Amino acid sequence: MLSGLLKLILGFLLAIAVLLGSGLTIALYFVNRTAIPPARPTFANDNPQTKPDKPKVTQVKATSTPKSTPSSTPTPSPTPTPTESPDSLPPGAYQGIVTWSQGLSMRDQPTLDAQSIGGVGANQKVIILEESPDKNWQKIRIEGTDKEGWVKAGNTKRVD
């Protein structure tokens, strides 16, 4: 009789140990599965495609010029000096687009320790002006503006 009672108690303890072991294993499995964050969903309006602005046409009003008298000497008209527009490409520069989905941080120097001077959004058009000597950084200008800065190389794609 003592032997039967001992077998009952040992069987009961063994059953509880098996249930606790399997319960802990299942709990650890679900805890580990919930610790992994899901992929961030993308929506149609996350990266809106901006349409290029149409150039604004300004009309110049014709002004009457004073009539010159025979005694007056003609004054030379000033020649306009060409100015570089922000959209013009300097020699060696090319157009690109930002491929990093979170956008890029622009810095004033080609180092990680440099001060951030702005940012560029994902899929935004830029002009790549130059590369650093070690080819790890690119100097860019945001298309349509005069904002320039350095970004990590490999996060832009050339657009032709």
PDB file of all heavy atoms in Angstrom, residues 86-122:
ATOM      1  N   PRO A  86      19.389  77.885 -59.379  1.00  0.00           N
ATOM      2  CA  PRO A  86      19.561  76.690 -58.552  1.00  0.00           C
ATOM      3  C   PRO A  86      19.353  75.385 -59.322  1.00  0.00           C
ATOM      4  O   PRO A  86      19.830  74.359 -58.911  1.00  0.00           O
ATOM      5  CB  PRO A  86      18.495  76.845 -57.472  1.00  0.00           C
ATOM      6  CG  PRO A  86      18.133  78.277 -57.446  1.00  0.00           C
ATOM      7  CD  PRO A  86      18.384  78.785 -58.828  1.00  0.00           C
ATOM      8  N   ASP A  87      18.625  75.416 -60.454  1.00  0.00           N
ATOM      9  CA  ASP A  87      18.368  74.192 -61.202  1.00  0.00           C
ATOM     10  C   ASP A  87      19.450  73.867 -62.216  1.00  0.00           C
ATOM     11  O   ASP A  87      19.466  72.773 -62.760  1.00  0.00           O
ATOM     12  CB  ASP A  87      17.026  74.297 -61.929  1.00  0.00           C
ATOM     13  CG  ASP A  87      15.867  74.257 -60.953  1.00  0.00           C
ATOM     14  OD1 ASP A  87      16.029  73.669 -59.872  1.00  0.00           O
ATOM     15  OD2 ASP A  87      14.820  74.817 -61.273  1.00  0.00           O
ATOM     16  N   SER A  88      20.349  74.803 -62.515  1.00  0.00           N
ATOM     17  CA  SER A  88      21.365  74.516 -63.510  1.00  0.00           C
ATOM     18  C   SER A  88      22.407  73.573 -62.927  1.00  0.00           C
ATOM     19  O   SER A  88      22.713  73.614 -61.739  1.00  0.00           O
ATOM     20  CB  SER A  88      22.011  75.810 -63.999  1.00  0.00           C
ATOM     21  OG  SER A  88      22.708  76.422 -62.942  1.00  0.00           O
ATOM     22  N   LEU A  89      22.926  72.717 -63.783  1.00  0.00           N
ATOM     23  CA  LEU A  89      23.897  71.720 -63.329  1.00  0.00           C
ATOM     24  C   LEU A  89      25.316  72.224 -63.542  1.00  0.00           C
ATOM     25  O   LEU A  89      25.704  72.543 -64.657  1.00  0.00           O
ATOM     26  CB  LEU A  89      23.704  70.413 -64.099  1.00  0.00           C
ATOM     27  CG  LEU A  89      22.416  69.655 -63.838  1.00  0.00           C
ATOM     28  CD1 LEU A  89      22.324  68.438 -64.738  1.00  0.00           C
ATOM     29  CD2 LEU A  89      22.337  69.233 -62.401  1.00  0.00           C
ATOM     30  N   PRO A  90      26.114  72.293 -62.486  1.00  0.00           N
ATOM     31  CA  PRO A  90      27.518  72.647 -62.652  1.00  0.00           C
ATOM     32  C   PRO A  90      28.252  71.510 -63.374  1.00  0.00           C
ATOM     33  O   PRO A  90      27.749  70.394 -63.448  1.00  0.00           O
ATOM     34  CB  PRO A  90      28.028  72.801 -61.219  1.00  0.00           C
ATOM     35  CG  PRO A  90      26.831  72.811 -60.344  1.00  0.00           C
ATOM     36  CD  PRO A  90      25.732  72.181 -61.104  1.00  0.00           C
ATOM     37  N   PRO A  91      29.449  71.766 -63.856  1.00  0.00           N
ATOM     38  CA  PRO A  91      30.201  70.702 -64.529  1.00  0.00           C
ATOM     39  C   PRO A  91      30.467  69.535 -63.579  1.00  0.00           C
ATOM     40  O   PRO A  91      30.850  69.713 -62.439  1.00  0.00           O
ATOM     41  CB  PRO A  91      31.521  71.381 -64.926  1.00  0.00           C
ATOM     42  CG  PRO A  91      31.240  72.850 -64.870  1.00  0.00           C
ATOM     43  CD  PRO A  91      30.140  73.047 -63.892  1.00  0.00           C
ATOM     44  N   GLY A  92      30.235  68.318 -64.062  1.00  0.00           N
ATOM     45  CA  GLY A  92      30.469  67.116 -63.267  1.00  0.00           C
ATOM     46  C   GLY A  92      29.305  66.728 -62.370  1.00  0.00           C
ATOM     47  O   GLY A  92      29.332  65.684 -61.739  1.00  0.00           O
ATOM     48  N   ALA A  93      28.278  67.543 -62.281  1.00  0.00           N
ATOM     49  CA  ALA A  93      27.125  67.242 -61.429  1.00  0.00           C
ATOM     50  C   ALA A  93      26.079  66.480 -62.230  1.00  0.00           C
ATOM     51  O   ALA A  93      26.070  66.516 -63.448  1.00  0.00           O
ATOM     52  CB  ALA A  93      26.528  68.531 -60.881  1.00  0.00           C
ATOM     53  N   TYR A  94      25.226  65.772 -61.517  1.00  0.00           N
ATOM     54  CA  TYR A  94      24.152  65.042 -62.172  1.00  0.00           C
ATOM     55  C   TYR A  94      22.939  64.996 -61.262  1.00  0.00           C
ATOM     56  O   TYR A  94      23.037  65.217 -60.071  1.00  0.00           O
ATOM     57  CB  TYR A  94      24.593  63.626 -62.571  1.00  0.00           C
ATOM     58  CG  TYR A  94      25.093  62.776 -61.429  1.00  0.00           C
ATOM     59  CD1 TYR A  94      24.237  61.951 -60.707  1.00  0.00           C
ATOM     60  CD2 TYR A  94      26.439  62.794 -61.065  1.00  0.00           C
ATOM     61  CE1 TYR A  94      24.695  61.165 -59.672  1.00  0.00           C
ATOM     62  CE2 TYR A  94      26.912  62.012 -60.023  1.00  0.00           C
ATOM     63  CZ  TYR A  94      26.033  61.205 -59.332  1.00  0.00           C
ATOM     64  OH  TYR A  94      26.494  60.435 -58.299  1.00  0.00           O
ATOM     65  N   GLN A  95      21.780  64.708 -61.864  1.00  0.00           N
ATOM     66  CA  GLN A  95      20.544  64.654 -61.100  1.00  0.00           C
ATOM     67  C   GLN A  95      20.384  63.282 -60.466  1.00  0.00           C
ATOM     68  O   GLN A  95      20.818  62.277 -61.020  1.00  0.00           O
ATOM     69  CB  GLN A  95      19.339  64.946 -61.991  1.00  0.00           C
ATOM     70  CG  GLN A  95      19.265  66.380 -62.435  1.00  0.00           C
ATOM     71  CD  GLN A  95      18.012  66.657 -63.236  1.00  0.00           C
ATOM     72  OE1 GLN A  95      17.487  65.783 -63.899  1.00  0.00           O
ATOM     73  NE2 GLN A  95      17.535  67.881 -63.157  1.00  0.00           N
ATOM     74  N   GLY A  96      19.761  63.267 -59.290  1.00  0.00           N
ATOM     75  CA  GLY A  96      19.529  62.009 -58.595  1.00  0.00           C
ATOM     76  C   GLY A  96      18.235  62.071 -57.809  1.00  0.00           C
ATOM     77  O   GLY A  96      17.545  63.098 -57.784  1.00  0.00           O
ATOM     78  N   ILE A  97      17.919  60.961 -57.165  1.00  0.00           N
ATOM     79  CA  ILE A  97      16.728  60.860 -56.334  1.00  0.00           C
ATOM     80  C   ILE A  97      17.111  60.126 -55.062  1.00  0.00           C
ATOM     81  O   ILE A  97      17.960  59.237 -55.085  1.00  0.00           O
ATOM     82  CB  ILE A  97      15.584  60.151 -57.088  1.00  0.00           C
ATOM     83  CG1 ILE A  97      14.272  60.281 -56.343  1.00  0.00           C
ATOM     84  CG2 ILE A  97      15.901  58.704 -57.354  1.00  0.00           C
ATOM     85  CD1 ILE A  97      13.064  59.914 -57.174  1.00  0.00           C
ATOM     86  N   VAL A  98      16.531  60.526 -53.941  1.00  0.00           N
ATOM     87  CA  VAL A  98      16.825  59.907 -52.649  1.00  0.00           C
ATOM     88  C   VAL A  98      16.115  58.563 -52.590  1.00  0.00           C
ATOM     89  O   VAL A  98      14.905  58.482 -52.794  1.00  0.00           O
ATOM     90  CB  VAL A  98      16.371  60.818 -51.486  1.00  0.00           C
ATOM     91  CG1 VAL A  98      16.570  60.128 -50.150  1.00  0.00           C
ATOM     92  CG2 VAL A  98      17.122  62.135 -51.528  1.00  0.00           C
ATOM     93  N   THR A  99      16.870  57.489 -52.302  1.00  0.00           N
ATOM     94  CA  THR A  99      16.300  56.144 -52.263  1.00  0.00           C
ATOM     95  C   THR A  99      16.053  55.649 -50.846  1.00  0.00           C
ATOM     96  O   THR A  99      15.372  54.658 -50.660  1.00  0.00           O
ATOM     97  CB  THR A  99      17.226  55.146 -52.980  1.00  0.00           C
ATOM     98  OG1 THR A  99      18.511  55.172 -52.349  1.00  0.00           O
ATOM     99  CG2 THR A  99      17.358  55.486 -54.440  1.00  0.00           C
ATOM    100  N   TRP A 100      16.582  56.310 -49.845  1.00  0.00           N
ATOM    101  CA  TRP A 100      16.401  55.877 -48.458  1.00  0.00           C
ATOM    102  C   TRP A 100      14.988  56.236 -48.035  1.00  0.00           C
ATOM    103  O   TRP A 100      14.573  57.385 -48.119  1.00  0.00           O
ATOM    104  CB  TRP A 100      17.437  56.553 -47.579  1.00  0.00           C
ATOM    105  CG  TRP A 100      17.478  56.004 -46.188  1.00  0.00           C
ATOM    106  CD1 TRP A 100      17.049  56.633 -45.066  1.00  0.00           C
ATOM    107  CD2 TRP A 100      17.960  54.740 -45.762  1.00  0.00           C
ATOM    108  NE1 TRP A 100      17.236  55.840 -43.982  1.00  0.00           N
ATOM    109  CE2 TRP A 100      17.795  54.657 -44.369  1.00  0.00           C
ATOM    110  CE3 TRP A 100      18.511  53.654 -46.421  1.00  0.00           C
ATOM    111  CZ2 TRP A 100      18.165  53.544 -43.636  1.00  0.00           C
ATOM    112  CZ3 TRP A 100      18.879  52.561 -45.690  1.00  0.00           C
ATOM    113  CH2 TRP A 100      18.702  52.516 -44.308  1.00  0.00           C
ATOM    114  N   SER A 101      14.219  55.246 -47.558  1.00  0.00           N
ATOM    115  CA  SER A 101      12.788  55.438 -47.316  1.00  0.00           C
ATOM    116  C   SER A 101      12.485  56.420 -46.184  1.00  0.00           C
ATOM    117  O   SER A 101      11.412  56.992 -46.140  1.00  0.00           O
ATOM    118  CB  SER A 101      12.121  54.097 -47.021  1.00  0.00           C
ATOM    119  OG  SER A 101      12.682  53.519 -45.859  1.00  0.00           O
ATOM    120  N   GLN A 102      13.402  56.623 -45.247  1.00  0.00           N
ATOM    121  CA  GLN A 102      13.155  57.573 -44.160  1.00  0.00           C
ATOM    122  C   GLN A 102      13.677  58.969 -44.477  1.00  0.00           C
ATOM    123  O   GLN A 102      13.560  59.872 -43.672  1.00  0.00           O
ATOM    124  CB  GLN A 102      13.819  57.095 -42.859  1.00  0.00           C
ATOM    125  CG  GLN A 102      13.086  55.963 -42.190  1.00  0.00           C
ATOM    126  CD  GLN A 102      13.459  54.610 -42.767  1.00  0.00           C
ATOM    127  OE1 GLN A 102      14.505  54.457 -43.373  1.00  0.00           O
ATOM    128  NE2 GLN A 102      12.613  53.636 -42.586  1.00  0.00           N
ATOM    129  N   GLY A 103      14.272  59.168 -45.651  1.00  0.00           N
ATOM    130  CA  GLY A 103      14.851  60.450 -45.979  1.00  0.00           C
ATOM    131  C   GLY A 103      16.263  60.537 -45.438  1.00  0.00           C
ATOM    132  O   GLY A 103      16.751  59.627 -44.767  1.00  0.00           O
ATOM    133  N   LEU A 104      16.949  61.631 -45.737  1.00  0.00           N
ATOM    134  CA  LEU A 104      18.346  61.786 -45.347  1.00  0.00           C
ATOM    135  C   LEU A 104      18.543  63.075 -44.555  1.00  0.00           C
ATOM    136  O   LEU A 104      17.819  64.046 -44.738  1.00  0.00           O
ATOM    137  CB  LEU A 104      19.243  61.831 -46.589  1.00  0.00           C
ATOM    138  CG  LEU A 104      19.207  60.611 -47.489  1.00  0.00           C
ATOM    139  CD1 LEU A 104      20.040  60.857 -48.735  1.00  0.00           C
ATOM    140  CD2 LEU A 104      19.708  59.395 -46.757  1.00  0.00           C
ATOM    141  N   SER A 105      19.538  63.057 -43.704  1.00  0.00           N
ATOM    142  CA  SER A 105      19.918  64.237 -42.954  1.00  0.00           C
ATOM    143  C   SER A 105      21.100  64.890 -43.660  1.00  0.00           C
ATOM    144  O   SER A 105      22.096  64.242 -43.941  1.00  0.00           O
ATOM    145  CB  SER A 105      20.319  63.831 -41.528  1.00  0.00           C
ATOM    146  OG  SER A 105      20.751  64.950 -40.808  1.00  0.00           O
ATOM    147  N   MET A 106      20.972  66.181 -43.960  1.00  0.00           N
ATOM    148  CA  MET A 106      22.067  66.909 -44.617  1.00  0.00           C
ATOM    149  C   MET A 106      22.973  67.504 -43.549  1.00  0.00           C
ATOM    150  O   MET A 106      22.499  68.032 -42.549  1.00  0.00           O
ATOM    151  CB  MET A 106      21.520  68.027 -45.513  1.00  0.00           C
ATOM    152  CG  MET A 106      20.879  67.525 -46.748  1.00  0.00           C
ATOM    153  SD  MET A 106      20.481  68.767 -48.021  1.00  0.00           S
ATOM    154  CE  MET A 106      20.405  70.279 -47.202  1.00  0.00           C
ATOM    155  N   ARG A 107      24.273  67.422 -43.791  1.00  0.00           N
ATOM    156  CA  ARG A 107      25.259  67.940 -42.846  1.00  0.00           C
ATOM    157  C   ARG A 107      26.124  68.991 -43.529  1.00  0.00           C
ATOM    158  O   ARG A 107      26.239  69.023 -44.744  1.00  0.00           O
ATOM    159  CB  ARG A 107      26.111  66.799 -42.307  1.00  0.00           C
ATOM    160  CG  ARG A 107      25.257  65.736 -41.635  1.00  0.00           C
ATOM    161  CD  ARG A 107      26.083  64.675 -40.970  1.00  0.00           C
ATOM    162  NE  ARG A 107      25.252  63.650 -40.365  1.00  0.00           N
ATOM    163  CZ  ARG A 107      24.716  63.725 -39.158  1.00  0.00           C
ATOM    164  NH1 ARG A 107      24.915  64.789 -38.423  1.00  0.00           N
ATOM    165  NH2 ARG A 107      23.984  62.746 -38.683  1.00  0.00           N
ATOM    166  N   ASP A 108      26.753  69.848 -42.692  1.00  0.00           N
ATOM    167  CA  ASP A 108      27.573  70.900 -43.273  1.00  0.00           C
ATOM    168  C   ASP A 108      28.982  70.428 -43.640  1.00  0.00           C
ATOM    169  O   ASP A 108      29.673  71.105 -44.389  1.00  0.00           O
ATOM    170  CB  ASP A 108      27.640  72.124 -42.348  1.00  0.00           C
ATOM    171  CG  ASP A 108      28.226  71.798 -40.989  1.00  0.00           C
ATOM    172  OD1 ASP A 108      28.482  70.616 -40.695  1.00  0.00           O
ATOM    173  OD2 ASP A 108      28.427  72.742 -40.192  1.00  0.00           O
ATOM    174  N   GLN A 109      29.409  69.284 -43.157  1.00  0.00           N
ATOM    175  CA  GLN A 109      30.705  68.692 -43.480  1.00  0.00           C
ATOM    176  C   GLN A 109      30.495  67.203 -43.747  1.00  0.00           C
ATOM    177  O   GLN A 109      29.553  66.609 -43.237  1.00  0.00           O
ATOM    178  CB  GLN A 109      31.695  68.863 -42.311  1.00  0.00           C
ATOM    179  CG  GLN A 109      32.033  70.304 -41.988  1.00  0.00           C
ATOM    180  CD  GLN A 109      32.812  70.992 -43.097  1.00  0.00           C
ATOM    181  OE1 GLN A 109      33.648  70.374 -43.744  1.00  0.00           O
ATOM    182  NE2 GLN A 109      32.511  72.255 -43.341  1.00  0.00           N
ATOM    183  N   PRO A 110      31.396  66.539 -44.486  1.00  0.00           N
ATOM    184  CA  PRO A 110      31.220  65.113 -44.776  1.00  0.00           C
ATOM    185  C   PRO A 110      31.692  64.199 -43.646  1.00  0.00           C
ATOM    186  O   PRO A 110      32.556  63.347 -43.833  1.00  0.00           O
ATOM    187  CB  PRO A 110      32.044  64.911 -46.055  1.00  0.00           C
ATOM    188  CG  PRO A 110      33.092  65.954 -45.988  1.00  0.00           C
ATOM    189  CD  PRO A 110      32.461  67.133 -45.294  1.00  0.00           C
ATOM    190  N   THR A 111      31.132  64.378 -42.446  1.00  0.00           N
ATOM    191  CA  THR A 111      31.433  63.505 -41.305  1.00  0.00           C
ATOM    192  C   THR A 111      30.155  63.296 -40.498  1.00  0.00           C
ATOM    193  O   THR A 111      29.234  64.115 -40.555  1.00  0.00           O
ATOM    194  CB  THR A 111      32.496  64.114 -40.371  1.00  0.00           C
ATOM    195  OG1 THR A 111      32.004  65.332 -39.826  1.00  0.00           O
ATOM    196  CG2 THR A 111      33.815  64.365 -41.090  1.00  0.00           C
ATOM    197  N   LEU A 112      30.115  62.208 -39.728  1.00  0.00           N
ATOM    198  CA  LEU A 112      28.953  61.950 -38.884  1.00  0.00           C
ATOM    199  C   LEU A 112      28.865  62.932 -37.725  1.00  0.00           C
ATOM    200  O   LEU A 112      27.789  63.162 -37.173  1.00  0.00           O
ATOM    201  CB  LEU A 112      28.997  60.522 -38.334  1.00  0.00           C
ATOM    202  CG  LEU A 112      28.680  59.421 -39.341  1.00  0.00           C
ATOM    203  CD1 LEU A 112      28.881  58.051 -38.708  1.00  0.00           C
ATOM    204  CD2 LEU A 112      27.276  59.547 -39.864  1.00  0.00           C
ATOM    205  N   ASP A 113      30.005  63.507 -37.327  1.00  0.00           N
ATOM    206  CA  ASP A 113      30.024  64.452 -36.216  1.00  0.00           C
ATOM    207  C   ASP A 113      29.598  65.856 -36.624  1.00  0.00           C
ATOM    208  O   ASP A 113      29.412  66.719 -35.767  1.00  0.00           O
ATOM    209  CB  ASP A 113      31.435  64.515 -35.610  1.00  0.00           C
ATOM    210  CG  ASP A 113      31.865  63.167 -35.062  1.00  0.00           C
ATOM    211  OD1 ASP A 113      30.992  62.375 -34.671  1.00  0.00           O
ATOM    212  OD2 ASP A 113      33.083  62.913 -35.025  1.00  0.00           O
ATOM    213  N   ALA A 114      29.442  66.099 -37.920  1.00  0.00           N
ATOM    214  CA  ALA A 114      29.102  67.438 -38.403  1.00  0.00           C
ATOM    215  C   ALA A 114      27.676  67.802 -38.015  1.00  0.00           C
ATOM    216  O   ALA A 114      26.830  66.942 -37.766  1.00  0.00           O
ATOM    217  CB  ALA A 114      29.265  67.503 -39.916  1.00  0.00           C
ATOM    218  N   GLN A 115      27.426  69.096 -37.987  1.00  0.00           N
ATOM    219  CA  GLN A 115      26.115  69.610 -37.607  1.00  0.00           C
ATOM    220  C   GLN A 115      25.100  69.355 -38.719  1.00  0.00           C
ATOM    221  O   GLN A 115      25.391  69.545 -39.894  1.00  0.00           O
ATOM    222  CB  GLN A 115      26.203  71.100 -37.324  1.00  0.00           C
ATOM    223  CG  GLN A 115      24.891  71.725 -36.904  1.00  0.00           C
ATOM    224  CD  GLN A 115      25.036  73.214 -36.630  1.00  0.00           C
ATOM    225  OE1 GLN A 115      26.092  73.777 -36.798  1.00  0.00           O
ATOM    226  NE2 GLN A 115      23.957  73.835 -36.228  1.00  0.00           N
ATOM    227  N   SER A 116      23.913  68.924 -38.337  1.00  0.00           N
ATOM    228  CA  SER A 116      22.834  68.714 -39.295  1.00  0.00           C
ATOM    229  C   SER A 116      22.252  70.069 -39.685  1.00  0.00           C
ATOM    230  O   SER A 116      21.917  70.885 -38.833  1.00  0.00           O
ATOM    231  CB  SER A 116      21.761  67.824 -38.682  1.00  0.00           C
ATOM    232  OG  SER A 116      20.700  67.656 -39.579  1.00  0.00           O
ATOM    233  N   ILE A 117      22.135  70.307 -40.996  1.00  0.00           N
ATOM    234  CA  ILE A 117      21.639  71.602 -41.476  1.00  0.00           C
ATOM    235  C   ILE A 117      20.295  71.479 -42.176  1.00  0.00           C
ATOM    236  O   ILE A 117      19.804  72.438 -42.743  1.00  0.00           O
ATOM    237  CB  ILE A 117      22.660  72.275 -42.413  1.00  0.00           C
ATOM    238  CG1 ILE A 117      23.008  71.356 -43.581  1.00  0.00           C
ATOM    239  CG2 ILE A 117      23.893  72.674 -41.648  1.00  0.00           C
ATOM    240  CD1 ILE A 117      23.873  72.015 -44.633  1.00  0.00           C
ATOM    241  N   GLY A 118      19.717  70.289 -42.162  1.00  0.00           N
ATOM    242  CA  GLY A 118      18.423  70.112 -42.796  1.00  0.00           C
ATOM    243  C   GLY A 118      18.221  68.664 -43.167  1.00  0.00           C
ATOM    244  O   GLY A 118      18.960  67.787 -42.734  1.00  0.00           O
ATOM    245  N   GLY A 119      17.238  68.428 -44.001  1.00  0.00           N
ATOM    246  CA  GLY A 119      16.939  67.069 -44.408  1.00  0.00           C
ATOM    247  C   GLY A 119      16.356  67.024 -45.802  1.00  0.00           C
ATOM    248  O   GLY A 119      15.944  68.038 -46.358  1.00  0.00           O
ATOM    249  N   VAL A 120      16.356  65.819 -46.355  1.00  0.00           N
ATOM    250  CA  VAL A 120      15.811  65.571 -47.681  1.00  0.00           C
ATOM    251  C   VAL A 120      14.852  64.399 -47.551  1.00  0.00           C
ATOM    252  O   VAL A 120      15.194  63.386 -46.950  1.00  0.00           O
ATOM    253  CB  VAL A 120      16.932  65.215 -48.679  1.00  0.00           C
ATOM    254  CG1 VAL A 120      16.375  65.082 -50.075  1.00  0.00           C
ATOM    255  CG2 VAL A 120      18.043  66.225 -48.651  1.00  0.00           C
ATOM    256  N   GLY A 121      13.662  64.517 -48.088  1.00  0.00           N
ATOM    257  CA  GLY A 121      12.669  63.466 -47.989  1.00  0.00           C
ATOM    258  C   GLY A 121      12.925  62.322 -48.958  1.00  0.00           C
ATOM    259  O   GLY A 121      13.689  62.450 -49.919  1.00  0.00           O
ATOM    260  N   ALA A 122      12.287  61.207 -48.712  1.00  0.00           N
ATOM    261  CA  ALA A 122      12.398  60.046 -49.595  1.00  0.00           C
ATOM    262  C   ALA A 122      11.821  60.386 -50.959  1.00  0.00           C
ATOM    263  O   ALA A 122      10.847  61.129 -51.069  1.00  0.00           O
ATOM    264  CB  ALA A 122      11.670  58.863 -48.989  1.00  0.00           C
TER     265      ALA A 122
END
